[in-house]
Amino acid sequence: MKVPFVDLHAQYVSIKSEIDAAIADTIARTAFIGGEPVSAFEKDFASWLGVSHCIACANGTDSIEILLKAVGIGVGDEVIVPAHSWISTSEAVGTVGAMPVFADTLKNTFTIDPADVRKRITNRTKAIIPVHLFGLPAEMDVIMDIAKEFNLKVIEDCAQSHGAKFKGQLTGTFGHAASFSFYPGKNLGAYGDAGAMVTNDAVIADAARMIANHGQKGKHNHIAEGRNSRLDGLQAAILSVKLKHLDKWNSLRIEKANVYTKLLKNSRLVLPQTPKDHVHVFHLYVVQLPESVDRKQVMEDLKQNGIETAVHYPVALPFLKPYSNRNFSNADFPVARTHTQCILSLPIFAEITVEQQRYVADTLQKLVS
Ligand SMILES: *Cc1c(COP(=O)(O)O)cnc(C)c1O
């Protein structure tokens, strides 16, 4: 049996006629950059989230960077980010000239530790970027309280959390603004790079839209040096089609995650948890291997058995080369450091079958028993 890590082809086949029609229509209208398909998607996505503004852009990394600029963050400022994430989260902070300050993550949920955030605040701190890692919301109530107390901006990184909820509220609606990625493998994915910024703040929205389109406020009215980070019409048209299926796909992901949890509950693995008040949309199903197990070997053995797995991520952000001059030690981020050494992401997507999941669970359990 073969179990791919994700199966984007199976998803395409399930909505082929809708997608093909949307692509043909966009080409017929030569709506290649911006235009009606992009404004339609911005409207659809804002309304799905229940926010007043959505500004589409080229990818999820740009959207973090542009939002940081839009809220006025730059040289001399510090921004607190989790030690465990994809590099975009800290990279965007560096790109605008500010300094990423890492906070450790929580043992049971992998998301940023609010108590550690509090400890890392200085008089240069201007913002926090919580990441709803793997599809599980960060502790947004405490994070917003801290932000209020210290007058900090909160930009949510929702690249992995389309549809996730905390206390009944969608991620992306807590902070001053939020960033979404529609990289093909995300819960809502385009057929290429794509991203979006959302906010209820008209001032942030105007600034973000201006920056993403060469600093223009209306055609040829350049009020600043901005950049080119626009969305293709084709990607927008595809995203509008796929958005209609997102809630159903998320329910299926949750269902498949519950299947793994049932199959693996008596194993030596630590399984992902969904604390009360959280809706986890399982962008990734991440288990922790016992300390004695050689992860590389397990992955290789799974591969020999036709099962693709991945590690998100093998090195915590503070220990990546770009931050080596900061001389962090393991003791600075004990939780993120430990997680990154033992985590393993299992195949999960809406179309995975119970037979495939049973095969993954059986094979993995034999390898770690
Ligand atoms: C995917 C991702 C991003 C942004 O990704 P792009 O590839 O630039 O769209 C940002 N943060 C996290 C946590 C991600 O997983």
Side-chain angles (χ1 to χ4, degrees), residues 77-83 90 93 99-103 112 117 120-122 125 127 326 328 333:
D77 297 334
E78 293 178 1
V79 177
I80 300 179
V81 302
S90 53
V93 176
M99 161 116 111
V101 171
F102 300 99
I112 195 164
V117 167
R120 315 253 177 185
I121 293 172
T122 71
T125 308
R326 312 255 302 261
F328 293 121
F333 310 98

Side-chain angles (χ1 to χ4, degrees), residues 192-269:
D193 274 313
M197 305 171 269
V198 300
T199 180
N200 284 316
D201 183 322
V203 176
I204 297 176
D206 281 354
R209 196 175 286 286
M210 178 272 289
I211 295 164
N213 194 13
H214 297 293
Q216 293 178 101
K217 235 179 188 152
K219 207 171 168 85
H220 300 309
N221 180 27
H222 301 273
I223 63 164
E225 280 185 340
R227 45 174 304 178
N228 177 358
S229 183
R230 298 175 302 218
L231 184 64
D232 293 357
L234 284 169
Q235 300 306 340
I238 288 162
L239 286 167
S240 281
V241 168
K242 291 182 66 172
L243 179 59
K244 292 187 217 135
H245 300 274
L246 177 59
D247 292 335
K248 171 190 66 194
W249 287 334
N250 277 340
S251 303
L252 285 166
R253 279 179 184 273
I254 294 167
E255 208 177 293
K256 313 289 176 178
N258 291 338
V259 169
Y260 270 139
T261 298
K262 214 178 220 167
L263 291 169
L264 294 168
K265 73 171 188 288
N266 295 321
S267 72
R268 293 177 66 220
L269 305 165

